[in-house]
Amino acid sequence: QKEVEQNSGPLSVPEGAIASLNCTYSDRGSQSFFWYRQYSGKSPELIMSIYSNGDKEDGRFTAQLNKASQYVSLLIRDSQPSDSATYLCAVNQNFGNEKLTFGTGTRLTIIP
Amino acid sequence: DADVTQTPRNRITKTGKRIMLECSQTKGHDRMYWYRQDPGLGLRLIYYSFDVKDINKGEISDGYSVSRQAQAKFSLSLESAIPNQTALYFCATSDPGQLSNIQYFGAGTRLSVL
């Protein structure tokens, strides 16, 4: 079982709709969770971090964390063509841990 | 200027050659990392370093070595390159003062081994 799992996609969403990206993780001791956006051939760019159960909103982005279900998601409201990218979920096992474990990413395409 | 700089950005080499990929940062972070990315496999950790005297293997260190020349510099070497080391390589940094371990990435080096 992979430590961090994501649906590879592609996920196609009409412009203006809500895109929902999901990630599950296997280590119950995980403490911090990140979503990175990566455009093709470019480096990953942090867009959201979340550490506590519940929702965290930043502009059009909302991260949701449910530690009991070992599940973290990213919602993108009012999707724009510029949101088309691969979204990587990353998990840090505990505070101070030196390593992030990345999922393989979900490719999102926003259809104009 | 980029906070995390990788050189070269692109490199084509032949099987058996020794090559070095370099990473430098101006973020003042102590922790540095090398990853490789292959289609469908995500980011995989090769080596990481907490400070100049600390080097640790990641999940795929075989065939690679690293050198931490200074707080700001962390180099990755392929002693004898082979075609399956063709990949996109990323350097990243993080600040130990930040317990959450947010990592910041360089622009990447695209390596092709023929």
Side-chain angles (χ1 to χ4, degrees):
Chain A
Q1 180 188 6
K2 293 183 180 178
E3 295 183 33
V4 179
E5 294 207 42
Q6 297 181 251
N7 187 323
S8 62
L11 175 65
S12 296
V13 173
E15 183 176 357
I18 296 175
S20 177
L21 305 166
N22 304 315
C23 173
T24 59
Y25 59 94
S26 61
D27 187 343
R28 284 196 172 275
S30 298
Q31 296 286 346
S32 47
F33 308 85
F34 308 94
W35 284 99
Y36 284 83
R37 178 177 61 200
Q38 185 176 26
Y39 294 114
S40 180
K42 303 297 185 182
S43 59
E45 171 193 14
L46 180 72
I47 54 172
M48 288 291 287
S49 59
I50 186 166
Y51 313 110
S52 304
N53 279 329
D55 295 358
K56 179 181 177 182
E57 186 174 321
D58 184 0
R60 296 186 297 110
F61 299 98
T62 298
Q64 299 175 317
L65 175 62
N66 184 325
K67 290 186 177 180
S69 300
Q70 296 174 242
Y71 175 93
V72 58
S73 64
L74 179 70
L75 301 179
I76 306 174
R77 291 182 299 281
D78 188 23
S79 296
Q80 302 297 310
S82 59
D83 295 326
S84 296
T86 295
Y87 289 80
L88 303 172
C89 174
V91 175
N92 191 9
Q93 290 180 321
N94 46 62
F95 288 124
N97 188 287
E98 64 277 9
K99 295 183 288 184
L100 289 182
T101 301
F102 286 85
T104 55
T106 298
R107 186 157 57 94
L108 173 66
T109 300
I110 305 302
I111 303 168
Chain B
D1 288 342
D3 292 327
V4 184
T5 302
Q6 292 184 234
T7 56
R9 293 294 314 281
N10 293 279
R11 179 74 183 268
I12 300 173
T13 192
K14 293 182 178 180
T15 297
K17 295 292 187 181
R18 182 182 188 277
I19 65 164
M20 179 183 290
L21 309 182
E22 298 186 338
C23 178
S24 62
Q25 52 111 349
T26 58
K27 298 183 79 67
H29 291 170
D30 287 328
R31 296 179 179 178
M32 299 186 73
Y33 309 80
W34 275 105
Y35 293 90
R36 66 176 280 176
Q37 187 173 39
D38 301 273
L41 294 179
L43 285 163
R44 293 184 292 166
L45 183 63
I46 306 172
Y47 271 96
Y48 60 101
S49 170
F50 275 11
D51 61 41
V52 175
K53 297 181 180 179
D54 177 77
I55 301 290
N56 303 281
K57 292 183 178 180
E59 60 179 296
I60 54 163
S61 60
D62 287 348
Y64 301 94
S65 62
V66 291
S67 173
R68 185 77 184 268
Q69 301 96 324
Q71 188 215 29
K73 295 183 182 294
F74 192 36
S75 300
L76 176 72
S77 294
L78 286 67
E79 298 299 327
S80 179
I82 56 177
N84 76 0
Q85 291 177 314
T86 293
L88 186 54
Y89 289 84
F90 288 106
C91 174
T93 73
S94 69
D95 180 1
Q98 273 191 357
L99 296 178
S100 60
N101 195 26
I102 293 174
Q103 295 188 12
Y104 301 89
F105 287 82
T109 295
R110 186 169 296 281
L111 175 66
S112 295
V113 183
L114 305 179

